[in-house]
Every structure is written in C-alpha cells, then in structure tokens.
Amino acid sequence: MTAARALDDAGAPPARQRPPGRRGFGAMRAGQPMIRDRLALFSLLGAAIVASLLAVIFIGQFRSLAQHARSVEGLHFGQHIDRLIFAIAREREVVQGAASIGPNLERRHAAARRAVDEAAATLQGFLRSAPSVAEALEGDPSLPHLPAYLARLRTRIDHQVMNDGTAEALYSEAVRQLFRVAGSVEERCVAPGLGARTGRLLNVAMLVDEFSRQSSLLRRIEHRSLGGVLTQERAVLAPLLDSKLRSDHMLAMLASHSDPEVAAQARAVRNTSAHRSIQDFTDKVSLSAWSASFRPRWSALLEDADKLVDMTQESRQRLAMEFIGIAERQAAATRSGMVAVTALGALLVATMCIALWLLYRSIARPLGAIAEAAQAAVAGHLDVSIAYRGQDEVGHLAQALQVLIDTIARFDGEMGRARDGVARGDLTVRADGSRFHGAWRALIDRFNDTLGEFAAVHRLFQRQAFHHPDSGLPNRLGLAHRLAEQGPPHTPCSVFLLLLVRLEDLTATLGADFAAGLVASLARRLEARFDGRYVIAQVSDREFALVCLDAPAAAALEEAAGAIVRACDEPLDHGDALMATPGRVGVATGTLAELDALLTNAAIASRRACQHVRPGYVVHDEHYRLQREKARRIELALPQAIARRELSMVYQPVVDARSGDITGFEALMRWRLPGGDAVPPLDFIRIAEDTGHILALGEMALRTACGSFMQPAVRAAFPKALLSVNVSPRQLMETDFVGTIRDVLDASGLPPRLLALEITESAFMDDPDICIERITALRAMGVHIYLDDFGTGYSSLSYLTRIPVDVLKIDQSFVRGRTGDPANRRIVAAMVKLAHSMGITPLAEGVESAGERDWLLSMGCQRHQGYLYAKPAPIEEHVAVQQACAPGVPGGG
Amino acid sequence: MKIPTVLTPVAALSCALLVLAGLVLQLHHLEGAFGPTRPAVADARRVTLLTAFSIQDSARYQEAFAQFEKDTGIEVTLRAAGGDFADHVYVATPGFDAPDIGLFAQPGLFRDMMAAGFVQPLPPDLSAQVQRDFPAFLDPLLGHEGRRHGVWARVAIKSLVWYRRALFERYGFAVPTTDRQLAALERAMIRRGFTPWCVGVAARGATGWVATDWVEEFMLRQAGAGDYDRWVAGDLPFSAPPVRTAFAAWDRMVHTPGMVDGGVAGVLGTQVEEAARRFASDPAPCLMMRNSEWVVSEFPEGMPVGPADAIDFFVLPGRSAAHTELLVAGDIAAALNTRPETMAVLRHMASADFARRRAAAGAYLSAHAQVTPNSYADPLSGRLAEVWRRASVMRMDASDLMPPAVGTAAFWTAMIDHLQGSPVPDATAGIDRAWRRWRAAQEIGSPPAGSAPAAAAPQGRQP
C-alpha cells in the first residue's frame, strides 16, 4: 500500500478534495504551478499596458506630426494659390487697361494668361502631391473648374465686346472663389496646427488683392481720362473709392493686430509714400476737390500703386515663410519627442522583462520544482529529490521538504513490512522487523490456534449449507450459487429434474442409510456420465436436478432426458446388492433468472411422467400448466359463486318424437361470471366433484329446479311434464340423500312422481350395494330414476338388472353425427332393444337433425332430447313458447 | 501551495481593462482633433435665376415665388445681370456662383446658347406641357434638334403707344386707328406746339434696342409679315428696299423737327427709363411714347393709367383699323443644369399657377393658354391680355430673333451710328456684314459662343 492510499484511507486533506476549476485562471490548468501562471499573466498585462501607453503616445505624436505636415502643406498651398490669385488679378488688370497699353496689348495679354495658366498648373501639381489639402478641398468645385471658367471668360472677352465692369466682376468672381478656397484650406489644414493667428495671412492676402484691384482701377481711370484730365464718370471712379475704403479698413485691422510684427508692418505700409500718394488721389476724388482741369501725375500714381502691391505681397510672403518655419520647427520638436519616447519605452520594456525573468528564475521555477516534488510525494512517489540547492528562503523550504519526504519514506517502508506480516498471519514480527518473545509470543500462538478452529468450523457450515448430505452434491441453494457463477441471469438453460420413483419404497423396506448410499452411488454415476455437460445437484431426498446452460430443440431435449432415464434404469452396485433406482424426468427450459419456476415446472412434469411407463420423461408443457392454473382459479371461485348465486338453472325439454309433446325437462346448471363470461359446465362440475363442492351445488340445483317447476305458470303450461335433475355419485353416496330429497319435495310441494333423478354409471363403482339401496328407497317414494350417459363409462349390464331404472339415456356421442355408421347403429339398436326388453324407456340425447330423429324412431327410440327440439333455456322461456304455440290449450304429454 | 496576494488575476485583469478603457477614451478624444473638418455641403436647395430684370421686376418675381418656396423649401434667388446677361450665361461654371436658370429676354441669344449646348432640354412631360399651353407661333423658338429647351416665362406687347389721355381730351386729339391717322395726329400736334413723341435709346448695356424696335414696327406694318419673316431669317438683307423704307420712316420720326423730345441728341442721350419718366412728368414734354407695359412702373407714384385716367394706351396703328399687327417680346426660362431643384422651379414656371401669381404681382403678361384676361388682378394687364388675344398678326422682336451678333450687336450699334450721322446705306451694309460673318462662322462649324460648358453637373459637385 502506498502513502497516497494511506492518505486516502485516513481522509484526504480538504484542499485535495476541492473540485478543480474553482480558483480562476490557475485552475484552468489544474495541477499546474499557479505562480508561474500569474507571473506570465502579469507580464502580459504589464506588457499590454506599457504597449498601449506607448501606442497612445505614438499615435498622438503621429497625429501631431501629421497635423504639422498638413499645416505646412496648407501654407504652401496658400503660397501657390496667392500666386494664382495675383496672376488672375494681373490678367484682370491687363484686360482693364486694355486701351492704354496700346501696341503691347496682345503680348501683355498672352503673358498674363500664361502666368495664370502656369500658376494654375503649379497649383494643380501641388494638389496632387498634397493629399491633406486635396482631402480638405474634396467636393469643392471651384478649383477643378477654374480652367474651364477662365477659358470661357477669355473666349468671351476675345470674341465679344465685354463691358469693363462685367469683365472686372467676372475676374473678381474667380478671385473671390479662390480666396474662399484659400480660407477653407487655411481653416481646415493650417489653423488646427498653428492656431487662429494664421488668419492674418488671409487678411494680408486680401489686402494685396485690394491694392492690386486699386492698381487696375487706376489704370482704368487713366484710360478713361486718356492720360490727361481726370474723367468725371462716377461709374469709373466709384469702384476705386470702394476698394480704397476696404483696403483702409483692412490696414486698420492689421495695424491694431495683437501680433506686434504684423501691426508694425501694417503701420509701415500705411506710412509709405506710395500709400500716401494713393490716399491723396482718392481724397481728392472723393471730395470732388479737383478742378475741372485736374491732371494727376498718372505715371507716378500708377507706379505707386504697383509699389504698394509689391510691398504688401512681399510682406505677405514673409509672413507665410515665417509660418512655414514655425510649423517645421514644431514638426522637428515632435519628431525628437517621438525618438525620446521610443527610447524610454524600450528601456521600460527591457527593464520589466529582466525583472520578470529574475522573478521567474529565483522564485517561480524553484517553487515549481518544490511543488512538483510535493505532489509526487502525495501521489506516493517518495523517492523524489529536489534539485534546487539555493541558499535563500526558497532553498530552505526545499531542504525542509526534502527532509519531510525522506522521513515519510522511512515510515512507509516500516509500515509496509508490518502489514505484509499480518497479511501472512504472522503476528510474531514487529514493525521494525524483530520478533516477539515470551508471554507475548504465547498469547499470539494461542490467538492463532483459535483463529484456525474458527476457520475450520466456518468451512464445515458452509459445506452443509450448500450441499446435500446424502450425495455430497450441491443442494437447491448450492445449485443457485453455482449457476449464478456460470453466467448472467438472462442465460438460457434447461432443467432436467430426475425423480427417483422407488426410493420411498426402498427407504421403507431397506432403511434410510441404504437408500442414502444408493443415492450417493447414483450421484457418482450421474457425475461420471454427465459432469461437464450439466450442473448436477440433489434438490431433495429423491430428486436430482441436472441443469444445462443451453435450451436446445425439443428432439435434443427428449434425447437428453432419455439418456438420464436410461442412466437410472441401469442397476447400481451398492454394498452387496445390485439394484436399480428407476427415475422419471421432467424437463423445463428458460433462463437462469427463472430457476425456481423451472425447477417447479420440471417437478410437475416429472410427476406427470410417473403416470406412464414410457418414455419416462415429460417435457414441461405451458398449456398444461395453464389448464391447471385455470382449474385452480375455478376451484377458488366456486364457493363465492355459490354464495353470490352466480349459478342458475336452465331446462331442456324431453320430447315424444311421435307426438311432438314435451314429456319432461332436464334441469341443467349454468355459471355466468359477473363479467358476462360463461364457465363451461363440464369444467366446473368436474372440479366441483373433485373438491366436494358438488354436494352443495347438487342440493342447490335440486331445490332451485323443484322451486321453479312448482311455479303456477309452469304448472299450468306443463302439468304432466317430469323434472329430471342430475345427481353426482358423491352426492348420492356421501350424504343423507334420501332425506334431502324428501326435504326438497316437501319444501317445494312437487309430487314425487314428477321428479326424476339422473344417475351415472360411475355412481355404482365405489359401493354398489349402498347405491342400490338408496335408489330403491327413492323409487319407493315415487321418484323416477334415469341412468345417464349410458354406454360411455364402465357399462355393466349386470347393474341394469339390479338397479330399478325407469329411463335409459343413450349418450349423445352415439347419436350426434353418427347415423351413417353401421356399427354404431348396431350398438344403439342393441341398447334400445335391451331397454325395451327390460321395460325401460330409452331416451336419446343430442338429437340435432330430422335425419337423426328419423334414424332413432326407425329403431324404436321415441323419447328425444336435443337442439332439434329446443335448447336449454330458463323455464319461463319454455312457458312463453308453449303459450305462444298453443294458446288456451294446456301442453303436456 | 496557496500564496495570499492582493492582486488576484481577476483584480489584475480588471485594472488592466480599466487602464485600457482610459487609453481608448483618450484615443477617441484625440480623434476629434484629427483630420480636416469636412467641408460644409453647399446649399443644394437654392436655385439662382439669372435675369436682365430691373429691381422692381425682380421683386415681383420674388413675390410670385414666395408660395413655391414655402411649399417646396427651395430658395429661389434672382440675380439681375442687366446687359451682361449673355456673359454670365456664357461663363457659368460650377464653383463660380453659376446660375441655375437663365431668363432669356432675347430668343436669338437663347437659340445660340441652345445650339451651343449651354441650355438643358426639358424633360418629355414638361416639353409636352409647354407645347400644349403656349401659343404655337412661339413654339419653334424653343426647339433645337427636335427637343424643347425652354419655357415662356413672360411675354410683352411692344406695340403699345402710351398717350396723355387727359391732355388728348383737353386739346381734342383723337386716338388714331390707322397709320395715316397717326401721321395726321403727329402733324396736328406739331402744328399746335406739342411734341408728339418721347424717345430715348440709351440703355445700360443695351443701348439701341428702342431704335431697332421702331424699325421693326415699321417693317411689320409697311412690308408685312412675310417680308418681316424673311428679314428675320436673313433672307431679306438690310440693304433691301423694304428695310430701307422702314429706316426712312424712322428717320422721319427722329429728324422731323418737333417730332421727338430733345431732337436727335435727346433720343441718343436719354435713357429708356428716363424717357418714360419724362413722358409721365408735368408739364408733359410730349404726348405719346411707344413701349411695352413695363414703362408703367417708371411713371411717377399716383399717376393713374386707364381708359378714364391721365394716361392710357392704344396699339400702334397699322394700315387699317381692322388689322392689328403686334410686335411682341418674351422671356424664355431655360435650365442651365439638370439639378432636380432647377427642374422643379422650371416646371413651376411653366404652370398656370405661377402665371397667375406673377400676374397678381402686376406688370406681367402670360402666354399661358389657361391664363385668361380675367386672371389678371389689375385691369391694365387684363386689357393687355385682351389685346394679345385679339391681335391678327404677332411677331417676335426681330433683333431678339436674329443671332445676337447681328440682332443685339450690329443692329443696335448701327442704329446708334445712324443716329449719330452715319448714312442709312452704311448702317445697313454694316449689319449685313455682321450677318455674313455670322453665317461664315456657322458654316465653318465654330459655334459663335464657344463650346458647351460643363455646367450640366449640379452645382456644388465635381463632375
């Protein structure tokens, strides 16, 4: 026995009994070291958190970088679109100043348009390489349609005379839309990265556009003034004043800007001589302060206007460059930040990995080894040794556990030796291997002897319980045990029950010991012949059972049974005698589970086998058993039926075949069960005969029939008819029958001459003298005597001469369906003749056809009874039929 | 074997999940600052009508559209381009404030734009409706290559002579019914010191059209409808005698002393609207003025117009009183793109409902068959509708029908040049040259107004 078993026997510690799967993650791998799992889990979690943190930081940084990239892209886009806007403004200017330029017009037109186209192409090219801006502008139709718009505008200008104002407005529409696009890019790409301060960029750009517009308007005015005296057309002057108002407003806004540099630049622009010059001009125009001959210095004015445009544009470019610089610096800062975060993250992860590895190596792994050793020890492997030899706490734990396991192993060895000794019955050896001595030794010896005696007695009792003392074969109990070992309950089997028929005689004559010896010899023979094929047992003093674990076909069964019978028939050599003990065999087949029933059935069959000489065996028949059961049920039910009056009387008329008159009725008994089923009279009458119930039945029949017959209606219908009642032999012989008849007649008031008693021949068998005496006495009272069932039993014609019989009832077996048989005719004719010769009236039963009637009449038998005339029925029915056939005429005969 | 620990796996897992959830939230927060904000969707429910209307007319149209805007949620905006109408239609491009519907006052310009593909054809059902509801003589002007492209938004009768009825009555002048009577009346007026006519040909971006109208009136009445049609089609050149006769009638008009207010200089220097205002002013500088009914809006506030009032109108008489020739004009509304909103507005403009609403706003005449004279709220419009119904000959303004390069460019400028002194043969020869140039351009296949625009795509989206 191992230590583990010992632990189990002693009751395992609660921790081991706890079902697995209750302790979360560790228990998912039941039996695995948990610390290692936890360390792995913590490593995973730590790594996930650190990685997520880094990812968040990285994503943030990447986004920030992307934002800077977008800002730079947006700023570059701003520069490109500015260039385009100014190119368009320049083209507008050229169209405006068309006439004043004179001979260079075509060239300047072409140059301006080329500049616009180049700027547009550059912008489109830039857009292809600037996905963020393209994304921000997705869905905006202005830029993609700009070339088409410009192309149409130019075509229109080239082919048609276009109003100056219209051309200006249509070009300005393009500029306006481009400013809108620039503003939208600024808002979506630049502002998120650099903040709202970039808005001033757009303001400056618009200022530049305004100055450029002023320049072109001045040209137009100069054109209208033909370079001389200022034109007075308000329509030409008004746009300039409007534009000036707008530019002043923008300048004022920029001058008060929070960014000091922008404000300073705005103020610087305001203070330039060019700006002042334009200011002077517009002041004069607006105040109408010029004289009719006011001739502005046109070339200086136009130059100043251009200068103003250039100056502000430069300023704008500078601002844009500054913003680009800011964005790029921010991007660089972000990039270096990302490098730092990467390094820091890597360092953190590495440190964590090393720390976890150290933890694993110094704690988790040695603890795992210790746990494994402990589990092995618990499982019974006590020869383990723990490899870890560290000098830390875990090392001390390992050493202590090693000592514990070694100690348990030593104890286990000693206990094992002691246990083995006890198992051998050797109590003299101590647990440590030494032996007991002295008084202890004596006590142990005596104890051992007593144990030996107990064992012998036990063996004896066991033998007696399971074996028959005569043959030494297993008895009924032993057979059951033996068979139970042979196979499962549903195993088919055949039981041959051998009944020794002469054994009782032998016991009585030659003594029990002799008989027992004979049985023992027979048992040896049976063993010698059939052992191996059968399990043989002696189930009672004179019965052997041979059970074969097979249920062969009927022929094989019979052959086997024949062999057993033959084995018994051979004489046995016992003592001085050579003697046979013949047996009869009953055979039953079934399964092992039904053994008891099989034995019983086989016993019944063996009893039946005794009724015949040959063949000496009977195979159990289920139908026979059922018949017996049915008879048993009827026997049990009969007394109750009598008490409950389930038995009733019916009457079958006896007819004079020549006249057709009813001469009498035979009272017959019927048994109808409460369920409506009728029990055949033959069945229950015979059983009642066997059981003695016939006495009560017979008396009841007599009393009932006589009572019924004395009813006034019956008497009126059949005044001369005789009532015949069947009397059983036992009734006649075992009771004071004559007295009973007298009582009945007295009680019913039936005249004795109207009563006939039907007696069978078998009534004479037991004691003919008493029988004849009683019949004679009855006859003396006037009662008629009918001899029933004549010709079927032990017909002894001699009785006829001694018994005073009135009527001879020829049994229906001679009548029904036998008219064609000449031999039968001879017998019946003889019986009729015999009756006539003795003065007895013959009466034929079972007449069912007119042929039979005529056949009987031809032989001289006039009294008939049978279905041809009437079926047995309650007397009331017969009365009713009689009254119906002959109303008012009383029947009789 | 059990090691007591505060940080059980479940607790550790919960902590980790908490931290991760925090991080995810943080990321989500960053998401907000990420990526450019989407551009706002252009106002798709706005439909812009490009017109050459005056402010008053725009206001009346706006009033007529009010219910439609309320019912459909479509915002209808009118943009008056004046004389730059053609330029604006021509350059209309998505992304550059392109109009959705053009109201073409000149069928000739409309025809050119239609031929060049600037104008979208009508859906079949609307086309059938237009054919059913509008006069057959106007129908050919809408078609190109078997498909209708526009809807008659308004018609106007040009041949109306406004006269100072009260003064006529006071001085015993009778309303003329034939051209002879008219000539006699003019002579009588001059004789009695009255100036018969106020004429001003100056107009913003369209100077000259009043003069061309007069020539057309004379053509229609003197040469007859047959010659008029040939003339419009270019089969009858400007140098042909019937046209010269018409020019001569015009010359008689402006050069006869005392016939027009301010003489030739006055005709040249007076804006059309100004002429109308002068006509209605007191003391009256003239007694008659020929123009469409829109001039009524230029009359001073409280100046009543009607058969019993200070001012009334008669139809410019022809050769007989029984025969009424009318020179008419019309505005064609046509879609410049196929946006559903555009088509909805166009469909509405083709309906009798719109015509009635617009009529209720005044100064309007509809060609819609279901709009009877009773439909008009003001009696003047009802009377004009009656005139429209009774006319025996109606012809569209010739200068509008001619190609724009001829009708609204060469013809107009020639009239101005003629007024400034250029002799008739020179003026007519110049117009004929323009005709030839136009035909030549047609023959070599280059469309006069350039290629079709990409304006078919709905505004606000890229094709």
Side-chain angles (χ1 to χ4, degrees):
Chain A
M1 218 191 202
T2 62
R5 288 281 298 281
L7 267 178
D8 282 344
D9 293 348
R16 275 177 58 78
Q17 284 185 343
R18 186 181 292 146
R22 289 285 175 85
R23 291 298 300 165
F25 184 75
M28 290 195 305
R29 300 158 56 192
Q32 294 293 315
M34 280 175 68
I35 289 188
R36 205 162 64 191
D37 288 348
R38 287 187 186 183
L39 270 180
L41 178 67
F42 293 156
S43 322
L44 276 177
L45 289 178
I49 290 170
V50 168
S52 308
L53 266 171
L54 286 177
V56 168
I57 293 170
F58 265 108
I59 290 172
Q61 298 282 335
F62 269 123
R63 285 179 178 180
S64 179
L65 261 187
Q67 188 58 64
H68 294 319
R70 254 201 316 282
S71 295
V72 172
E73 259 182 30
L75 287 165
H76 282 301
F77 176 80
Q79 283 189 310
H80 286 297
I81 203 161
D82 277 359
R83 198 168 305 139
L84 179 59
I85 288 171
F86 298 129
I88 292 174
R90 183 68 61 190
E91 188 179 330
R92 177 180 63 191
E93 199 179 317
V94 171
V95 170
Q96 295 275 300
S100 68
I101 307 303
N104 289 333
L105 175 67
E106 291 293 328
R107 202 160 46 79
R108 287 202 51 169
H109 251 201
R113 287 182 179 182
R114 207 165 40 245
V116 169
D117 292 343
E118 278 170 12
T122 314
L123 184 68
Q124 295 293 349
F126 172 76
L127 265 184
R128 277 193 290 278
S129 64
S132 317
V133 176
E135 194 190 349
L137 286 179
E138 198 183 317
D140 192 305
S142 296
L143 264 191
H145 288 109
L146 180 67
Y149 183 78
L150 286 176
R152 283 194 202 145
L153 187 52
R154 288 169 184 171
T155 315
R156 190 72 183 169
I157 285 167
D158 290 349
H159 288 85
Q160 303 285 333
V161 178
M162 194 186 277
N163 193 314
D164 277 355
T166 308
E168 202 267 336
L170 291 175
Y171 273 112
S172 295
E173 172 65 23
V175 170
R176 194 170 69 85
Q177 295 295 342
L178 291 179
F179 267 125
R180 187 185 55 74
V181 168
S184 133
V185 169
E186 212 280 332
E187 183 192 335
R188 290 179 192 142
C189 295
V190 183
L194 291 179
R197 55 188 163 176
T198 54
R200 67 204 183 200
L201 209 55
L202 202 63
N203 289 346
V204 177
M206 285 164 121
L207 185 63
V208 178
D209 177 58
E210 216 53 70
F211 282 148
S212 129
R213 187 198 301 267
Q214 285 168 21
S215 163
S216 79
L217 286 171
L218 272 173
R219 278 194 166 72
R220 189 172 159 201
I221 294 169
E222 190 257 343
H223 172 53
R224 283 300 172 103
S225 308
L226 303 170
V229 175
L230 183 67
T231 177
Q232 292 184 30
E233 284 179 66
R234 302 300 304 169
V236 181
L237 294 174
L240 176 71
L241 293 176
D242 288 350
S243 175
K244 186 74 178 80
L245 211 62
R246 283 197 297 273
S247 66
D248 282 353
H249 177 67
M250 284 179 202
L251 256 183
M253 248 170 49
L254 288 170
S256 60
H257 200 279
S258 54
D259 189 333
E261 196 189 335
V262 174
Q265 281 188 22
R267 277 195 293 273
V269 167
R270 219 160 38 178
N271 291 332
T272 52
S273 59
H275 185 259
R276 275 203 305 275
S277 153
I278 305 292
Q279 184 77 48
D280 284 350
F281 179 79
T282 49
D283 283 353
K284 276 186 181 149
V285 170
S286 63
L287 291 170
S288 304
W290 77 97
S291 64
S293 57
F294 175 55
R295 298 173 67 96
R297 288 168 49 229
W298 289 113
S299 59
L301 204 57
L302 294 178
E303 209 171 290
D304 283 346
D306 288 345
K307 211 184 284 175
L308 208 51
V309 172
D310 292 344
M311 202 160 60
T312 41
Q313 191 162 5
E314 243 172 60
S315 162
R316 191 196 173 289
Q317 295 284 353
R318 230 183 5 256
L319 255 181
M321 290 313 293
E322 184 195 328
F323 279 126
I324 290 173
I326 291 172
E328 279 173 350
R329 276 198 299 282
Q330 282 182 351
T334 308
R335 248 179 247 119
S336 53
M338 276 175 76
V339 170
V341 167
T342 310
L344 213 67
L347 202 65
L348 191 59
V349 169
T351 314
M352 238 181 67
C353 288
I354 291 168
L356 284 168
W357 168 245
L358 284 176
L359 267 179
Y360 173 72
R361 237 187 55 172
S362 59
I363 294 178
R365 208 166 55 178
L367 268 182
I370 291 168
E372 259 174 37
Q375 278 182 343
V378 168
H381 307 292
L382 295 171
D383 51 350
V384 291
S385 73
I386 302 167
Y388 189 68
R389 290 285 178 269
Q391 285 307 306
D392 50 9
E393 290 92 329
V394 181
H396 295 155
L397 179 65
Q399 285 163 23
L401 185 68
Q402 187 69 64
V403 170
L404 265 174
I405 291 173
D406 291 348
T407 310
I408 290 170
R410 196 152 48 80
F411 283 147
D412 189 52
E414 288 178 2
M415 277 174 69
R417 276 194 296 280
R419 198 171 49 239
D420 292 347
V422 172
R424 281 195 310 271
D426 183 3
L427 298 178
T428 58
V429 182
R430 283 195 175 114
D432 60 0
S434 62
R435 290 183 170 276
F436 289 106
H437 296 286
W440 275 109
R441 181 64 191 267
L443 188 64
I444 286 167
D445 285 347
R446 221 165 43 236
F447 182 63
N448 279 347
D449 292 347
T450 312
L451 280 183
E453 284 166 21
F454 276 150
V457 169
H458 178 253
R459 276 194 296 276
L460 179 68
F461 283 173
Q462 211 165 21
R463 179 161 183 79
Q464 285 178 350
F466 291 104
H467 294 84
H468 198 278
D470 290 352
S471 62
L473 286 173
N475 59 11
R476 201 181 173 96
L477 207 55
L479 177 70
H481 273 266
R482 288 276 299 276
L483 288 175
E485 291 168 6
Q486 299 285 322
H490 55 78
T491 312
C493 66
S494 314
V495 173
F496 298 83
L497 193 108
L498 172 63
L499 174 70
L500 303 179
V501 289
R502 281 188 59 202
L503 201 68
E504 270 178 41
D505 283 351
L506 289 173
T507 308
T509 53
L510 299 173
D513 288 345
F514 184 85
L518 207 59
V519 166
S521 303
L522 181 64
R524 296 292 88 73
R525 175 183 287 171
L526 289 175
E527 274 185 326
R529 293 232 179 134
F530 302 115
D531 202 21
R533 263 188 288 167
Y534 302 99
V535 175
I536 303 168
Q538 189 181 357
V539 292
S540 75
D541 285 349
R542 58 187 202 128
E543 284 173 321
F544 287 92
L546 291 88
V547 181
C548 141
L549 291 178
D550 190 13
L557 277 180
E558 287 173 6
E559 194 183 327
I564 295 168
V565 170
R566 281 194 299 279
C568 291
D569 284 343
E570 289 171 25
L572 277 167
D573 191 7
H574 176 66
D576 303 333
L578 191 65
M579 193 168 283
T581 55
R584 292 290 180 266
V585 172
V587 186
T589 56
T591 63
L592 286 180
E594 306 164 327
L595 183 65
D596 281 342
L598 294 181
L599 283 171
T600 308
N601 290 342
I604 292 169
S606 68
R607 296 318 186 265
R608 282 170 67 202
C610 291
Q611 293 169 9
H612 309 282
V613 178
R614 292 280 165 206
Y617 57 83
V618 165
V619 177
H620 170 70
D621 178 7
E622 193 61 17
H623 179 67
Y624 177 76
R625 194 181 62 78
L626 288 175
Q627 258 188 344
R628 280 180 57 108
E629 267 185 21
K630 186 178 168 192
R632 182 70 58 206
R633 277 202 302 279
I634 290 172
E635 184 185 334
L636 289 172
L638 207 49
Q640 283 186 339
I642 294 166
R644 289 180 192 160
R645 299 191 172 281
E646 286 170 13
L647 296 149
S648 61
M649 302 305 292
V650 293
Y651 303 87
Q652 188 171 33
V654 178
V655 177
D656 184 330
R658 288 197 191 279
S659 66
D661 291 341
I662 292 174
T663 60
F665 290 93
E666 181 181 4
L668 298 164
M669 188 169 279
R670 290 289 182 269
W671 183 3
R672 193 165 289 278
L673 293 170
D677 297 334
V679 183
L682 271 178
D683 288 354
F684 75 84
I685 297 284
R686 189 174 47 75
I687 291 164
E689 291 263 13
D690 290 348
T691 57
H693 287 112
I694 196 69
L695 301 178
L697 278 182
E699 191 174 333
M700 190 200 84
L702 267 172
R703 289 187 187 279
T704 309
C706 291
S708 301
F709 216 68
M710 281 309 289
Q711 286 172 22
V714 180
R715 290 264 32 89
F718 307 107
K720 293 179 183 168
L722 258 71
L723 172 69
S724 61
V725 181
N726 289 290
V727 176
S728 123
R730 287 184 72 168
Q731 207 180 355
L732 186 65
M733 299 304 294
E734 291 177 14
T735 60
D736 175 14
F737 188 65
V738 180
T740 305
I741 292 296
R742 195 174 290 123
D743 277 357
V744 169
L745 289 175
D746 287 349
S748 62
L750 184 75
R753 60 184 172 77
L754 290 183
L755 180 67
L757 297 173
E758 296 195 7
I759 299 163
T760 56
E761 288 168 303
S762 56
F764 304 101
M765 295 299 291
D766 286 347
D767 199 340
D769 294 335
I770 293 177
C771 182
I772 289 167
E773 184 191 316
R774 290 189 175 179
I775 288 171
T776 308
L778 288 169
R779 207 152 178 260
M781 283 165 64
V783 175
H784 300 269
I785 301 296
Y786 288 10
L787 190 60
D788 205 3
D789 299 342
F790 186 76
T792 58
Y794 304 99
S795 297
S796 173
L797 291 176
S798 65
Y799 292 134
L800 284 180
T801 57
R802 293 175 61 191
I803 305 168
V805 171
D806 297 294
V807 173
L808 186 74
K809 287 189 85 166
I810 300 168
D811 191 72
Q812 60 189 359
S813 59
F814 296 102
V815 179
R816 197 164 56 202
R818 298 292 299 276
T819 52
D821 186 351
N824 187 49
R825 184 189 167 88
R826 277 197 294 277
I827 292 170
V828 173
M831 285 197 281
V832 171
K833 203 172 177 180
L834 175 73
H836 282 309
S837 69
M838 293 180 70
I840 299 171
T841 310
L843 194 163
E845 287 182 298
V847 183
E848 296 194 346
S849 67
E852 287 164 5
R853 180 192 62 192
D854 297 341
W855 182 71
L856 287 167
L857 282 175
S858 70
M859 284 182 286
C861 179
Q862 287 186 33
R863 297 274 177 97
H864 296 174
Q865 185 179 347
Y867 281 13
L868 178 66
Y869 302 99
K871 290 181 180 176
I875 191 69
E876 291 81 7
E877 285 183 23
H878 295 299
V879 171
V881 170
Q882 178 68 16
Q883 285 171 349
C885 290
V889 181
Chain B
M1 292 297 285
K2 189 168 183 276
I3 298 164
T5 168
V6 176
L7 191 65
T8 62
V10 174
L13 211 61
S14 313
C15 286
L17 283 178
L18 215 64
V19 169
L20 279 176
L23 293 179
V24 167
L25 276 180
Q26 183 66 22
L27 276 176
H28 189 73
H29 181 70
L30 278 177
E31 196 72 40
F34 185 69
T37 48
R38 306 298 310 158
V41 178
D43 187 6
R45 302 293 285 171
R46 173 183 296 179
V47 173
T48 305
L49 267 65
L50 186 71
T51 70
F53 292 159
S54 64
I55 292 174
Q56 289 94 331
D57 255 352
S58 293
R60 290 189 190 109
Y61 269 92
Q62 204 70 67
E63 191 182 328
F65 275 119
Q67 188 61 40
F68 173 77
E69 289 180 317
K70 201 187 286 176
D71 291 346
T72 59
I74 295 173
E75 186 192 339
V76 181
T77 306
L78 282 103
R79 192 192 304 158
D84 307 333
F85 178 84
D87 296 333
H88 279 91
V89 171
Y90 190 84
V91 301
T93 311
F96 292 90
D97 224 0
D100 299 294
I101 292 176
L103 269 110
F104 291 83
Q106 296 144 0
L109 173 65
F110 174 71
R111 192 179 50 218
D112 283 357
M113 289 295 186
M114 184 163 63
F118 282 81
V119 175
Q120 302 299 324
L122 299 184
D125 59 326
L126 182 56
S127 177
Q129 187 190 331
V130 167
Q131 187 188 17
R132 189 189 65 212
D133 289 341
F134 291 92
F137 87 95
L138 293 175
D139 201 45
L141 301 177
L142 300 176
H144 175 69
E145 291 178 348
R147 300 188 70 179
R148 271 180 205 81
H149 285 65
V151 169
W152 288 102
R154 171 165 79 169
V155 291
I157 303 171
K158 293 203 160 203
S159 311
L160 298 178
V161 178
W162 303 90
Y163 69 103
R164 301 292 292 252
R165 198 202 64 83
L167 295 179
F168 264 48
E169 202 172 41
R170 190 193 302 168
Y171 296 110
F173 297 127
V175 170
T177 53
T178 63
D179 52 359
R180 286 172 200 282
Q181 284 180 13
L182 178 62
L185 179 67
E186 285 166 347
R187 281 196 299 275
M189 283 176 175
I190 294 168
R191 206 166 43 244
R192 292 174 62 175
F194 295 105
T195 305
W197 296 99
C198 275
V199 180
V201 299
R204 186 175 157 263
T207 296
W209 67 266
V210 178
T212 61
D213 276 9
W214 272 110
V215 173
E216 287 155 17
E217 297 277 19
F218 293 136
M219 267 300 288
L220 185 60
R221 279 164 181 73
Q222 293 169 359
D227 276 356
Y228 185 90
D229 289 343
R230 288 175 57 219
W231 178 53
V232 167
D235 296 340
L236 191 69
F238 273 73
S239 50
V243 188
R244 292 221 179 150
T245 310
F247 267 80
W250 165 246
D251 280 351
R252 176 188 157 269
M253 178 116 194
V254 290
H255 290 301
T256 303
M259 183 72 94
V260 291
D261 179 35
V264 177
V267 171
L268 265 173
T270 310
Q271 295 276 330
V272 184
E273 296 86 353
E274 199 186 336
R277 282 194 291 274
R278 278 181 67 76
F279 160 74
S281 63
D282 279 315
C286 58
L287 294 180
M288 296 184 289
M289 187 191 60
R290 188 217 62 95
N291 217 319
S292 302
E293 101 282 359
W294 65 266
V295 292
V296 173
S297 61
E298 296 293 335
F299 297 163
E301 283 290 316
M303 175 65 79
V305 176
D309 292 319
I311 295 176
D312 196 18
F313 73 89
F314 58 87
V315 177
L316 185 68
R319 274 173 293 183
S320 83
H323 202 70
T324 316
E325 290 104 346
L326 286 186
L327 191 64
V328 301
D331 291 348
I332 300 170
L336 304 179
N337 57 44
T338 55
R339 287 171 57 210
E341 291 82 7
T342 302
M343 286 303 167
V345 172
L346 202 59
R347 208 175 284 278
H348 179 60
M349 291 179 78
S351 68
D353 179 51
F354 171 77
R356 290 195 193 100
R357 285 182 193 283
R358 178 64 190 82
Y364 178 75
L365 193 60
S366 172
H368 200 289
Q370 290 169 28
V371 182
T372 57
N374 301 335
S375 306
Y376 294 89
D378 71 306
L380 177 61
S381 298
R383 286 170 65 208
L384 290 173
E386 203 58 48
V387 170
W388 174 275
R389 278 179 50 165
R390 290 205 184 145
S392 35
V393 174
M394 286 199 282
R395 282 297 177 270
M396 181 60 74
D397 186 322
S399 60
D400 289 349
L401 287 177
M402 288 172 187
V406 180
T408 59
F411 195 5
W412 286 2
T413 47
M415 289 312 290
I416 302 303
D417 291 348
H418 177 56
L419 277 175
Q420 284 173 343
S422 165
V424 172
D426 290 359
T428 53
I431 303 169
D432 282 337
R433 261 202 306 281
W435 256 121
R436 282 194 295 275
R437 270 205 303 278
W438 184 82
R439 284 212 191 83
Q442 292 293 302
E443 277 159 19
I444 59 172
S446 81
S451 60
Q459 188 180 4
R461 282 181 216 154
Q462 285 182 336

